[in-house]
Amino acid sequence: LIHLNSGRPEKAIPYFQREIRLGTEDAAVLYNLANAYEKTGDLRNAIRCYEIYVGRVKNPVYREIAQQKLKMLSSEVGNRR
């Protein structure tokens, strides 16, 4: 998370991926991984992670935020074609 917050999202990605591989139940890890992908410009992986996050997060406010990000990123990916 330190790498993500200090402007080095590419360095944060392997740590979040590792947590997911280890089977974390913390949905925030998915959100942070999606955010890191988004910041590095890897929008397809960001979308994939946000989609999984939406299915797992319990808090409706956080779910809505992720759904808004999904709409924005999906639109951006569509515009790149």
Side-chain angles (χ1 to χ4, degrees), residues 47-81:
I47 289 169
R48 183 179 53 84
C49 290
Y50 281 129
E51 288 173 339
I52 297 168
Y53 173 80
V54 165
R56 291 188 186 174
V57 68
K58 306 278 190 246
N59 186 310
V61 173
Y62 295 154
R63 186 179 306 115
E64 178 61 29
I65 291 168
Q67 288 171 330
Q68 289 174 6
K69 283 185 162 276
L70 274 169
K71 286 178 189 174
M72 179 192 69
L73 292 176
S74 294
S75 175
E76 193 170 326
V77 167
N79 289 337
R80 288 184 177 183
R81 292 182 182 178

Side-chain angles (χ1 to χ4, degrees), residues 15-33 52 56:
Y15 293 101
F16 296 134
Q17 289 172 328
R18 181 176 181 270
E19 288 299 311
I20 291 168
R21 277 194 310 273
L22 292 174
T24 184
E25 296 293 320
D26 186 359
V29 174
L30 275 167
Y31 185 87
N32 288 327
L33 179 57
I52 297 168
R56 291 188 186 174

